[in-house]
Amino acid sequence: MDFINIQNEDFNVQQQYDALSQSNTRDGAVVLFVGRVRDFNEGEQVTEMVLEHYPGMAEKCLEDIVAKARERWDINRVRVIHRVGLLSQSDQIVLVGTSSPHRGSAFAAAEFIMDYLKTDAPFWKKEISDQGERWVEARNSDETQKKRWQ
């Protein structure tokens, strides 16, 4: 039912959609979110990004986030993939997919999972630009998004 993976390799969005929807006649809604590397952040041109995580703890944290989403919404299938390593502009970073009998639950659960992933999961981003390298600090806006669910 749930697929959670942290990996260096890219992922195929069509394969992830198929995994959520094939042989699944119960669910009328499938929601996918894909986050990508932007070329610009905080006034600087971003050329690459390095993503790191705390192995073991990151997977457990993602499992806990998905479990919390399941307690709140009627969702049947969930897929979370987060990449680590060196990524370039426009590379895919993260995928969150949910399926549910109804669109409201699928959308809300996917957004909830992404909001908690951004604030609670032990991932760190370092952006590389023409100006050098810098670790990306947590954003207040991410915490504000998370508070909507409390």
Side-chain angles (χ1 to χ4, degrees):
M1 267 221 278
D2 295 342
F3 177 82
I4 297 169
N5 199 40
I6 298 172
Q7 62 193 47
N8 291 97
E9 305 80 27
D10 198 7
F11 51 85
N12 180 295
V13 175
Q14 183 64 53
Q15 288 175 350
Q16 300 311 311
Y17 173 81
D18 291 346
L20 289 164
S21 61
Q22 285 181 344
S23 302
N24 183 359
T25 58
R26 180 170 185 244
D27 292 339
V30 174
V31 169
L32 288 172
F33 169 81
V34 176
R36 303 181 334 142
V37 177
R38 292 185 303 242
D39 66 349
F40 197 79
N41 190 32
E42 295 186 15
E44 292 184 12
Q45 183 77 26
V46 175
T47 56
E48 294 176 311
M49 177 182 288
V50 177
L51 283 149
E52 296 181 3
H53 74 299
Y54 191 112
M57 182 181 281
E59 291 87 349
K60 175 70 170 112
C61 184
L62 294 175
E63 291 169 7
D64 292 346
I65 292 167
V66 169
K68 288 177 187 173
R70 287 189 169 287
E71 290 171 6
R72 296 179 74 145
W73 294 283
D74 180 16
I75 52 177
N76 292 311
R77 295 184 183 177
V78 177
R79 298 186 76 79
V80 179
I81 300 173
H82 202 297
R83 293 183 63 200
V84 292
L86 180 64
L87 303 176
S88 299
Q89 292 176 351
S90 300
D91 282 353
Q92 299 176 136
I93 302 169
V94 62
L95 175 135
V96 173
T98 58
S99 73
S100 173
H102 304 286
R103 73 177 184 270
S105 293
F107 273 115
E111 193 169 13
F112 174 92
I113 291 166
M114 193 62 219
D115 286 345
Y116 273 77
L117 184 155
K118 290 278 290 181
T119 57
D120 291 9
F123 290 96
W124 299 277
K125 294 192 286 190
K126 181 176 21 175
E127 291 179 338
I128 302 168
S129 73
D130 296 338
Q131 307 297 315
E133 300 178 353
R134 70 179 177 85
W135 289 100
V136 177
E137 299 290 326
R139 296 177 186 214
N140 290 333
S141 59
D142 291 334
E143 283 295 333
T144 300
Q145 288 293 106
K146 179 183 152 184
K147 287 180 183 174
R148 297 177 305 143
W149 306 109
Q150 297 171 352

